[in-house]
Amino acid sequence: MVIKMKVTLNPNAEIVKTVREGLKRTGGYCPCVLEHTEDTKCMCKQFKEQIADPEFEGFCHCMLYYKSLSE
């Protein structure tokens, strides 16, 4: 069995619009955190680690991206 992984934008257009506006306002840093470091630059370190986790399925912290798994 091969498990495939896919990362997509949140299907809720309003959330995508709001988060993208926040990213523009913060210069590309996650608008959901106060600390602006390389770890919080979108696509943030936390979500990259979640993508690497073969068991994780779900949204990134700010809900812009969704990682889905399928067989």
Side-chain angles (χ1 to χ4, degrees):
M1 174 175 67
V2 175
I3 295 180
K4 295 180 183 179
M5 180 271 303
K6 183 165 77 170
V7 175
T8 57
L9 283 176
N10 188 323
N12 184 318
E14 191 60 36
I15 289 175
V16 171
K17 179 183 175 207
T18 300
V19 174
R20 284 186 168 166
E21 287 170 356
L23 287 168
K24 286 179 188 175
R25 194 175 56 252
T26 63
Y29 293 95
C30 181
C32 303
V33 295
L34 297 176
E35 185 179 6
H36 291 178
T37 67
E38 283 305 307
D39 291 347
T40 62
K41 189 90 167 175
C42 189
M43 179 175 290
C44 69
K45 179 181 176 185
Q46 179 185 24
F47 192 57
K48 287 178 185 175
E49 290 171 352
Q50 290 170 326
I51 290 172
D53 178 353
E55 301 293 317
F56 176 81
E57 181 170 10
F59 286 102
C60 67
H61 178 76
C62 66
M63 297 190 66
L64 179 61
Y65 296 109
Y66 186 82
K67 177 190 172 188
S68 58
L69 303 174
S70 62
E71 294 182 22

